[in-house]
Amino acid sequence: MFVKVCGLSTPESVQAAVESGADAVGFVLTKSPREVSAEQATHLLQGVPEGVSAVGVFRHEPAVDAIATARGAGLEWIQLHGRRTRGDVKTVHDAGMRLIRAVTMGSAPEEFEDWGEDLLLIDAAVPGSGESWDYSSVRNLGLGVRRWLLAGGLTPSNVGTATAEAQAWGVDVSSGVESSRGVKDLNLVRSFVRAAKA
């Protein structure tokens, strides 16, 4: 199970995720309670060992702007939310970077097609709500053997059931491992990674 812990903003939270066995960590470089600057992301990146992917997360920024910001922070992965095009995928890859394209369960059917992204992230219909949803509904999308991440409302206590219901390849968590909005609980981070990997 591929596990990404997103919205990290302190060296301690990065360390907790990495030491627990997370495969990827995410730094939010867009307006959010979890937002960090490119400079902060560069500093946090020092705690990310080789073999763990570090991802810059963006919402509505144009792909070219996201690339510039992520590159300035030293990141090789970009996660794009919001309305995107196949051209955005090409732009990211032409820049030599890897892409997680995020969609919500309420998106149009064509948005779940393979646009060539490295990973597809499937979030709840209302992203950021922190509420669990019908994870089994993902199976109706016909994703086949593609690599994709399940997100939205995941916690240490439900991640096992959710991934089984969705038949997910990987998971992405943020609010489900927080003590308050934007503040990671290190014990919850560790518990989540262990539970997902189990």
Side-chain angles (χ1 to χ4, degrees):
M1 178 63 61
F2 183 98
V3 179
K4 174 173 168 281
V5 182
C6 200
L8 301 178
S9 59
T10 66
E12 293 78 15
S13 60
V14 172
Q15 183 179 11
V18 166
E19 290 183 350
S20 302
D23 302 283
V25 292
F27 306 120
V28 178
L29 295 165
T30 190
K31 274 292 173 200
S32 163
R34 304 170 183 92
E35 181 181 8
V36 296
S37 67
E39 291 75 18
Q40 287 174 299
T42 300
H43 176 67
L44 294 169
L45 193 56
Q46 295 173 9
V48 182
E50 196 170 331
V52 176
S53 301
V55 184
V57 180
F58 300 88
R59 186 170 292 118
H60 300 300
E61 293 83 356
V64 289
D65 293 347
I67 290 165
T69 302
R71 185 175 277 153
L75 303 171
E76 296 179 355
W77 280 80
I78 290 177
Q79 181 171 311
L80 294 179
H81 292 255
R83 295 300 299 271
R84 299 294 170 177
T85 66
R86 293 174 188 265
D88 290 331
V89 177
K90 184 178 187 305
T91 298
V92 172
H93 285 156
D94 285 350
M97 306 188 83
R98 305 186 75 181
L99 174 67
I100 299 173
R101 181 171 64 88
V103 297
T104 65
M105 277 305 290
S107 299
E110 59 267 21
E111 296 204 25
F112 296 98
E113 295 173 1
D114 188 349
W115 291 8
E117 62 278 331
D118 297 277
L119 292 171
L120 183 71
L121 183 148
I122 300 176
D123 206 343
V126 183
S129 66
E131 296 179 6
S132 57
W133 47 286
D134 180 10
Y135 300 110
S136 64
S137 62
V138 178
R139 295 206 303 252
N140 301 327
L141 299 174
L143 297 170
V145 296
R146 291 167 62 193
R147 293 184 170 189
W148 62 277
L149 308 179
L150 182 70
L154 298 176
T155 66
S157 59
N158 74 2
V159 64
T161 304
T163 53
E165 289 179 355
Q167 297 178 354
W169 180 82
V171 291
D172 186 11
V173 69
S174 186
S175 60
V177 292
E178 292 180 341
S179 55
S180 60
R181 194 160 175 78
V183 180
K184 292 293 183 280
D185 180 310
L186 304 187
N187 288 326
L188 287 178
V189 170
R190 297 183 188 104
S191 298
F192 183 89
V193 177
R194 282 198 297 267
K197 293 285 186 181

